[in-house]
Amino acid sequence: MRRMEVERKTIGWAARDPSGILSPYTYTLRETGPEDVHIRIICCGICHTDLHHTKNDLGTSNYPMVPGHEVVGEVVEVGSGVSKFTVGDIVGVGCLVGCCGGCSPCERDLEQYCPKKIWSYNDVYIDGQPTQGGFAKATVVHQKFVVKIPEGMAVEQAAPLLCAGVTVYSPLSHFGLKKPGLRGGILGLGGVGHMGVKFAKAMGHHVTVISSSNKKREEALQDLGADDYVIGSDQSKMNELADSMDYIIDTVPVHHALEPYLSLLRLDGKLILMGVINNPLQFLSPMVMIGRKMITGSFIGSMKETEEMLEFWKEKGLSSIIEVVKMDYVNTALERLEKNDVRYRFVVDVEGSRLEA
């Protein structure tokens, strides 16, 4: 398709400094290259990572920054070498927009572990320009990092799957935990945790939610379908559950002790870390030696896993619990997310919002 001959501008909502406050920002959208897909953004989920980056919690933020990496939109233009997508397709873009293509992870279709991966925002693309995310009217992405949204799936439901969903699905698939009859724990019931309950139940697992308080008990058991709920500080109940779980998905993004949860794992059980934590975690080595237990981690998911995950979600008829907001509410949404005041994922209705000042 013919490239546009004039410089393209788009508008998004960007953070300008570590206050993390977003406001309208106009910037240049690159031309559609031979393997690029030009996407009109319909909606975008809000991830806890957006909070980290906009506030420079990790010390790596570059401003102005348009966040958002759970992007769903409509294809409006494709490059001459694009074969997977056509104008009018509803597609998604997750956390990545580039990789080297030649390293061992890339050769194994595990782009998320490429040492030269390019983030959807707060990064620099191969043309030397900063990448910007999905809190904007449009984006241009290489076809490798675009996925089709299954027909009939609501766009606002699809958005959180592109990060939170595949983040949970990937380790369940990789570690051979998709088979029915397993007993699993979900530590932390936020955006990723609630996805964990949904996927694990759909795979036929007995699921226990492990939380710090009773606040989410009713939601976990009744709304999400968990089989059990335990407060981590309830020593009596924790003792009852000792040596009972095949795996625990640990979504807690702040420093916490590991020993109480290692005790819940049975022989060869796995504690899978997913929370981004800047302080060292500690544990006593006998806790893993006795029981041959594993502490491991998992990081988002590959493009192939994302496609598999979307089809699994559709096949099982699953839905997530979300709160749809307009762009003019996004700063309030980020404040609420910081206080864990969301059930369970915000999704910004970009298409239905006024982005201009």
Side-chain angles (χ1 to χ4, degrees):
M1 180 171 287
R2 182 177 63 87
R3 292 186 181 185
M4 299 185 71
E5 296 175 356
V6 296
E7 188 177 68
R8 271 197 302 227
K9 297 285 187 179
T10 194
I11 186 167
W13 275 46
R16 267 47 173 226
D17 55 54
S19 70
I21 296 173
L22 307 185
S23 58
Y25 170 62
T26 299
Y27 56 99
T28 300
L29 201 63
R30 78 169 188 269
E31 289 186 346
T32 306
E35 293 199 63
D36 285 339
V37 181
H38 180 195
I39 301 165
R40 177 184 66 82
I41 296 173
I42 298 172
C43 63
C44 184
I46 302 180
C47 176
H48 209 277
T49 304
D50 298 327
L51 201 58
H52 284 313
H53 283 315
T54 55
K55 291 182 173 292
N56 197 27
D57 290 343
L58 305 178
T60 59
S61 297
N62 297 293
Y63 304 101
M65 177 204 304
V66 177
H69 60 209
E70 297 179 336
V71 185
V72 177
E74 180 186 6
V75 176
V76 295
E77 182 186 23
V78 296
S80 59
V82 173
S83 57
K84 293 171 60 179
F85 307 101
T86 59
V87 172
D89 284 347
I90 302 301
V91 298
V93 179
C95 299
L96 302 179
V97 294
C99 65
C100 78
C103 66
S104 175
C106 284
E107 289 174 352
R108 296 167 59 191
D109 292 321
L110 296 169
E111 310 85 6
Q112 72 272 35
Y113 299 113
C114 172
K116 296 181 180 179
K117 59 185 168 288
I118 301 174
W119 299 107
S120 299
Y121 68 90
N122 194 39
D123 207 343
V124 178
Y125 198 61
I126 56 175
D127 60 2
Q129 297 302 308
T131 58
Q132 302 290 7
F135 295 179
K137 285 188 173 182
T139 188
V140 176
V141 181
H142 190 286
Q143 65 172 336
K144 178 177 177 60
F145 296 93
V146 180
V147 293
K148 278 188 181 179
I149 301 303
E151 188 175 347
M153 183 180 289
V155 291
E156 65 274 10
Q157 282 288 324
L161 297 175
L162 299 169
C163 175
V166 74
T167 294
V168 169
Y169 181 88
S170 178
L172 289 170
S173 177
H174 172 73
F175 291 113
L177 301 172
K178 290 174 65 176
K179 57 190 177 186
L182 299 180
R183 300 179 73 89
I186 305 296
L187 177 54
L189 195 60
V192 175
H194 111 281
M195 290 284 190
V197 176
K198 290 278 187 174
F199 275 111
K201 286 301 297 177
M203 292 170 183
H205 299 178
H206 181 283
V207 179
T208 298
V209 170
I210 310 164
S211 190
S212 59
S213 74
N214 252 326
K215 288 192 298 185
K216 298 179 181 178
R217 178 184 293 273
E218 185 174 337
E219 298 166 24
L221 298 175
Q222 296 185 13
D223 299 340
L224 299 179
D227 300 287
D228 202 357
Y229 187 99
V230 59
I231 300 172
S233 59
D234 184 345
Q235 197 57 55
S236 175
K237 179 69 172 177
M238 292 286 280
N239 288 341
E240 287 180 24
L241 294 174
D243 301 314
S244 68
M245 298 183 187
D246 296 290
Y247 67 88
I248 295 173
I249 292 178
D250 183 347
T251 72
V252 177
V254 296
H255 188 274
H256 57 287
L258 298 183
E259 281 95 340
Y261 313 110
L262 288 169
S263 70
L264 303 183
L265 295 173
R266 56 175 48 148
L267 178 65
D268 291 326
K270 298 172 179 64
L271 177 62
I272 305 168
L273 302 178
M274 292 186 177
V276 177
I277 303 169
N278 289 331
N279 300 317
L281 298 176
Q282 295 180 322
F283 62 92
L284 298 175
S285 60
M287 293 292 295
V288 293
M289 294 165 60
I290 301 171
R292 202 166 58 188
K293 300 171 185 179
M294 179 188 296
I295 299 175
T296 186
S298 183
F299 183 61
I300 51 177
S302 69
M303 299 312 299
K304 283 190 174 181
E305 287 172 325
T306 302
E307 291 171 343
E308 289 174 12
M309 175 271 305
L310 288 168
E311 288 301 326
F312 180 89
W313 190 265
K314 180 186 178 183
E315 177 189 333
K316 298 295 183 179
L318 303 178
S319 64
S320 53
I321 299 175
I322 59 174
E323 182 175 339
V324 179
V325 300
K326 302 292 187 183
M327 190 67 78
D328 60 8
Y329 189 81
V330 70
N331 289 307
T332 301
L334 287 166
E335 289 176 8
R336 286 178 53 194
L337 177 60
E338 193 167 24
K339 299 172 184 174
N340 197 28
D341 178 24
V342 57
R343 300 295 185 271
Y344 281 93
R345 202 73 160 180
F346 284 116
V347 176
V348 180
D349 173 13
V350 177
E351 180 182 51
S353 297
R354 176 181 169 83
L355 271 63
E356 297 79 3

